Amino acid sequence: MSIIVDENTKVIVQGITGNEGAFHAKQMIQYGTRVVGGVTPGKGGQIFNGVPVFNTVRVAVLSTGANVSAIFVPPAFAGDAIMEAVDAGVGLVVCLTEGIPTIDMIAVKQYMKGKDVKLIGPNTPGIISPGKCKVGVMAGYIHAPGRIGIMSRSGTLTYEVVDQLTKMGIGQSTCVGIGGDPIIGLTFVDLLAMFEKDEGTDAVVMIGEIGGRAEEEAAEYFKANMKKPVVAFIAGLTAPPGRRMGHAGAIISGGVGRAVDKIGALEAAGITVVKNPAEIGETVAAMLKAR
Amino acid sequence: MKIHEYQAKQLFKSYSIPVPQGAVAKTVEEAFQIAEKIGRSPFVLKAQIHAGGRGKGGGIKMANGLGDVKRAAAGLLGMTLVTPQTDAEGQPVQALLVEEALSVEQELYLGIVIDRQRACPVVIASAEGGMEIEKIAATDPEKVLREAVDPAVGLRPFQAGRIFYGLGLDQSLSRKMTAVILNLFRLFIEKDCSLAEINPLVVTKAGELVALDAKINIDDNALYRHQDMASLRDVNQENPLEVEASKYNLNYIKLKGNVGCMVNGAGLAMATMDLIKLVGAEPANFLDVGGGATSEMVKQGLKILLYDKDVKMVFINIFGGILRCDTLAEGVVKAVDELVIDLPIVIRLEGTNVEAGRKILAGSGLSFTVATGLKDAAEKVAMTLKQLQDVKGER
């Protein structure tokens, strides 16, 4: 089992003829993801990487029965691309684009209200259910099928954690990058609820970082609703306040978003917080052994 | 991106938000001319730097008469201003805002920020202006008014009215205050701000509302559609190494420690800094070369790390995904070769083509300490630091 994506997922790629879109569409197909089509306005009718290209998302969805759209569109157009995917009725939009203006994302979130659709990202490595489906840019081979759910605000730090787990023989049910931007789709709380329900997930690893209150909210949710154990790591104990640490959302502002407060909130809720990023894998292993 | 107070006030003017009479001066002579044009003493001279707390740092001077303006301007221009909000080195003062000094009846706070959780702008106001809003929120939360904005319709006049009545201002200020609130919101949206703040917004003894200070931050991701805003960047207010790094699309932030680090990915870069701290050292920087770094970017990144004279050793931590370790190793070897680096370097490579990458490092003839895994890397960083200290001790 897994959450959100599995072997039944049918993906279209918005921006499939661009550099990033073309490269990663190919990688996804190689991993075994059912990529059924692509969208690039003006290039409809072509076959690219062995899949048909359409001018609009609506026609792509109607023609292929796709239920997920992966967006590799430049930041200036990505907000609009998300809305087009939402309008076309896909159940899940994964937006990989980094650098979308915040005000555009506010409009996107407004547009999504009341519609039955999930958004992952933007500024995310994507989502993977190992051995079944990968919608994103992560290297597939470091993952292994298994029973640990991973959710993260980061890219390479997630690969690091996945790699530690896989090398210890601990596989993953689903790994989700929620995105490094201040305004995103699915949150830690949304994913905790899904992992708690998923029969294929035994425990969750949460990789947070400075900025915002996503980890504090996850702590509250965990305390009130969860039985499965959660292990967390929070990056940025040494990050100075007021500076944006790479990700648009990774900033301590007005005293909100400090790593030490997040760690405090998580520990108070009963979540195991790992302080040393080199020890995340072994902490999970020890926890699984103790159960 | 931050802009100066004088630039923010020019924006305010174009959005009909009242500001004191005044202008920016880059020389003592200009300061004098501006004061002469204003005519009425006293004047106020405000150092233009990208940080708050200027009053406490001595960056705001009152001047009585034109002679006093010259003296104050001469003292401020060219100084390096240290405030509670700057680092110990301070910020260079290259411009002054020369303004009329106003007789203030009351100081208010008005600001707009983005609420990340609710995905909307929020207008924040308080009748207790002049101090940091976070402090008011911490000590007297009931004195902070908030209006969340529905993005579909924008800030509504009734919400501006609710703020006005919440502040308990005299009825005669109703129209002026709601106009300031609505205009500030329009500016916030139209210029893609991440922060728009008037602190203090004052009621003068003459019964006028005036923005005594102005702070605007622009969303970096939106600068591409605001060339007018992008041109307001003042690189003299930024760390020179950070300016250099930004030319190569490298995410670099100078910190206080002496272990330079180069990492791909922002999260892993932060985790690497934390790891350096855990082994008893301090990171010298944050440097994310990005998920798709090229060998050229790696070279430029290393170069910038080494410009920093505090750096005593370098820790390169790369998790190759799509970016292959062999490509990366080639870049590092080329860079170290070209730059003649004599500092110890610990390299940890993991991920795609890691064996080929390690082979390139080993065959380069250069003396890297190659680590396998994050734990091993941490130990090797600690060991290298200890060796450096021992060598120092022997001298």
Side-chain angles (χ1 to χ4, degrees):
Chain A
M1 288 279 282
S2 49
I3 64 166
I4 309 174
V5 298
D6 57 25
E7 48 277 87
N8 298 317
T9 300
K10 290 164 80 177
V11 181
I12 51 164
V13 175
Q14 285 174 255
I16 194 167
T17 57
N19 279 338
E20 295 274 304
F23 178 78
H24 290 292
K26 208 166 153 189
Q27 296 277 320
M28 287 190 258
I29 291 167
Q30 274 174 11
Y31 190 76
T33 303
R34 295 169 69 191
V35 177
V36 294
V39 178
T40 300
K43 302 213 168 155
Q46 297 182 12
I47 299 288
F48 196 84
N49 275 338
V51 301
V53 180
F54 303 89
N55 286 321
T56 67
V57 181
R58 175 178 290 175
V59 175
V61 168
L62 288 173
S63 309
T64 63
N67 49 17
V68 172
S69 181
I71 295 180
F72 294 88
V73 166
F77 313 104
D80 191 54
I82 299 172
M83 293 192 211
E84 185 182 357
V86 169
D87 177 75
V90 294
L92 172 70
V93 182
V94 182
C95 184
L96 293 301
T97 307
E98 175 172 9
I100 303 178
T102 301
I103 287 193
D104 291 8
M105 279 313 299
I106 289 177
V108 166
K109 293 277 282 189
Q110 175 69 23
Y111 186 76
M112 286 173 61
K113 270 181 197 162
K115 298 190 173 78
D116 187 20
V117 60
K118 295 183 181 75
L119 170 67
I120 293 178
N123 193 8
T124 167
I127 175 169
I128 181 169
S129 293
K132 296 173 185 164
C133 177
K134 157 180 135 157
V135 186
V137 302
M138 63 288 276
Y141 76 92
I142 60 171
H143 301 80
R147 302 185 60 80
I148 301 294
I150 298 183
M151 52 184 201
S152 171
R153 285 170 64 187
S154 161
T156 48
L157 181 56
T158 316
Y159 310 161
E160 170 70 42
V161 173
V162 167
D163 188 59
Q164 287 182 21
L165 290 173
T166 299
K167 282 182 176 156
M168 302 183 88
I170 303 168
Q172 308 88 42
S173 54
T174 301
C175 309
V176 191
I178 65 170
D181 278 359
I183 295 183
I184 52 170
L186 291 182
T187 62
F188 282 149
V189 168
D190 297 328
L191 292 167
L192 281 177
M194 291 182 217
F195 280 130
E196 177 74 5
K197 265 195 218 137
D198 178 40
E199 286 170 14
T201 299
D202 292 336
V204 181
V205 176
M206 170 165 78
I207 302 153
E209 63 189 26
I210 57 159
R213 294 195 75 257
E215 292 80 4
E216 285 88 338
E217 289 178 0
E220 286 161 28
Y221 182 86
F222 171 84
K223 199 173 178 187
N225 302 289
M226 280 189 77
K227 294 201 174 64
K228 290 179 186 174
V230 174
V231 173
F233 173 76
I234 305 296
L237 266 172
T238 51
R243 301 300 307 265
R244 215 169 280 285
M245 305 302 281
H247 294 148
I251 180 166
I252 301 166
S253 55
V256 174
R258 299 190 311 161
V260 60
D261 297 331
K262 291 173 184 295
I263 291 169
L266 292 166
E267 283 181 338
I271 290 174
T272 308
V273 181
V274 188
K275 305 285 162 52
N276 186 333
E279 293 170 359
I280 299 171
E282 54 196 67
T283 307
V284 175
M287 182 200 69
L288 291 175
K289 214 173 166 188
R291 274 157 64 88
Chain B
M1 187 190 81
K2 291 178 179 176
I3 64 173
H4 283 297
E5 175 196 5
Y6 79 90
Q7 296 165 327
K9 280 182 170 166
Q10 278 162 5
L11 266 179
F12 280 7
K13 268 192 204 167
S14 63
Y15 280 84
S16 308
I17 297 169
V19 296
Q21 193 188 342
V24 66
K26 307 235 162 121
T27 63
V28 173
E29 189 52 35
E30 281 176 15
F32 177 82
Q33 285 165 2
I34 293 160
E36 202 174 37
K37 200 175 157 203
I38 294 169
R40 289 181 317 276
S41 194
F43 308 97
V44 55
L45 287 81
K46 304 173 83 177
Q48 299 296 291
I49 60 165
H50 281 182
R54 292 173 297 171
K56 286 180 192 128
I60 298 179
K61 301 268 184 229
M62 294 292 288
N64 283 302
L66 295 172
D68 212 12
V69 167
K70 274 194 170 172
R71 271 189 297 277
L76 286 169
L77 279 170
M79 80 180 288
T80 304
L81 186 56
V82 179
T83 83
Q85 291 181 35
T86 66
D87 58 19
E89 281 105 70
Q91 299 282 104
V93 180
Q94 295 174 329
L96 299 177
L97 183 56
V98 183
E99 290 184 332
E100 57 175 333
L102 297 171
S103 308
V104 174
E105 181 73 37
Q106 190 185 357
E107 296 191 329
L108 311 169
Y109 174 92
L110 180 66
I112 305 176
V113 293
I114 302 283
D115 182 327
R116 294 164 62 141
Q117 263 62 40
R118 294 160 81 172
C120 68
V122 181
V123 182
I124 301 169
S126 175
E128 310 268 318
M131 47 195 244
E132 280 175 54
I133 192 71
E134 292 85 17
K135 284 186 185 145
I136 307 169
T139 52
D140 298 292
E142 75 286 350
K143 287 184 179 161
V144 178
L145 309 172
R146 287 167 211 273
E147 287 288 337
V149 179
D150 183 337
V153 292
L155 183 71
R156 304 307 304 167
F158 81 84
Q159 293 181 291
R162 203 149 60 188
I163 291 171
F164 170 77
Y165 289 109
L167 291 171
L169 298 175
D170 190 86
Q171 185 61 37
S172 64
L173 288 167
S174 165
R175 195 167 291 176
K176 285 174 185 160
M177 185 64 189
T178 50
V180 168
I181 297 169
L182 292 166
N183 286 333
L184 188 66
F185 182 76
R186 199 159 51 86
L187 186 164
F188 184 89
I189 298 294
E190 286 178 3
K191 298 297 179 190
D192 273 292
C193 298
S194 52
L195 170 76
E197 189 177 75
I198 311 177
N199 190 21
L201 172 63
V202 301
V203 183
T204 64
K205 292 227 156 66
E208 294 297 326
L209 268 173
V210 183
L212 214 53
D213 201 355
K215 190 172 172 188
I216 298 277
N217 293 351
I218 312 284
D219 179 2
D220 291 316
N221 287 346
L223 282 175
Y224 74 88
R225 58 188 177 201
H226 300 288
Q227 286 310 314
D228 54 335
M229 294 289 110
S231 68
L232 299 181
R233 179 175 174 195
D234 181 358
V235 293
N236 294 316
Q237 294 292 321
E238 299 171 29
N239 181 289
L241 293 179
E242 294 178 12
V243 174
E244 182 68 12
S246 68
K247 288 182 194 157
Y248 302 98
N249 276 326
L250 294 166
N251 250 313
Y252 171 90
I253 294 173
K254 168 94 172 79
L255 300 169
K256 299 272 163 225
N258 56 18
V259 179
C261 52
M262 179 162 77
V263 189
N264 65 328
L268 190 58
M270 273 188 277
T272 303
M273 285 162 43
D274 296 345
L275 193 65
I276 289 168
K277 176 99 179 177
L278 278 172
V279 302
E282 295 284 339
N285 64 281
F286 167 90
L287 174 56
D288 167 18
V289 294
T294 59
S295 63
E296 176 63 18
M297 284 170 82
V298 169
K299 190 176 117 186
Q300 294 300 342
L302 261 181
K303 223 171 163 176
I304 286 159
L305 279 191
L306 298 165
Y307 279 138
D308 179 355
K309 292 301 160 219
D310 299 337
V311 168
K312 298 290 174 251
M313 69 161 291
V314 175
F315 176 22
I316 300 176
N317 184 16
I318 300 291
F319 200 103
I322 304 303
L323 166 71
R324 289 157 39 199
C325 289
D326 50 339
T327 311
L328 202 116
E330 274 167 18
V332 172
V333 168
K334 218 171 84 190
V336 175
D337 221 16
E338 253 183 74
L339 300 169
V340 200
I341 297 170
D342 53 1
L343 300 178
I345 299 181
V346 174
I347 300 189
R348 182 276 180 132
L349 287 179
E350 205 65 63
T352 312
N353 289 10
V354 61
E355 289 309 326
R358 286 184 191 144
K359 210 170 271 173
I360 290 166
L361 292 179
S364 68
L366 299 164
S367 58
F368 302 112
T369 305
V370 179
T372 52
L374 211 46
K375 194 156 218 181
D376 185 40
E379 279 161 18
K380 284 183 168 144
V381 169
M383 209 159 65
T384 308
L385 279 168
K386 192 168 173 301
Q387 281 164 359
L388 282 173
Q389 273 160 3
D390 291 349
V391 170
K392 215 169 142 192
E394 279 164 26
R395 278 182 190 153

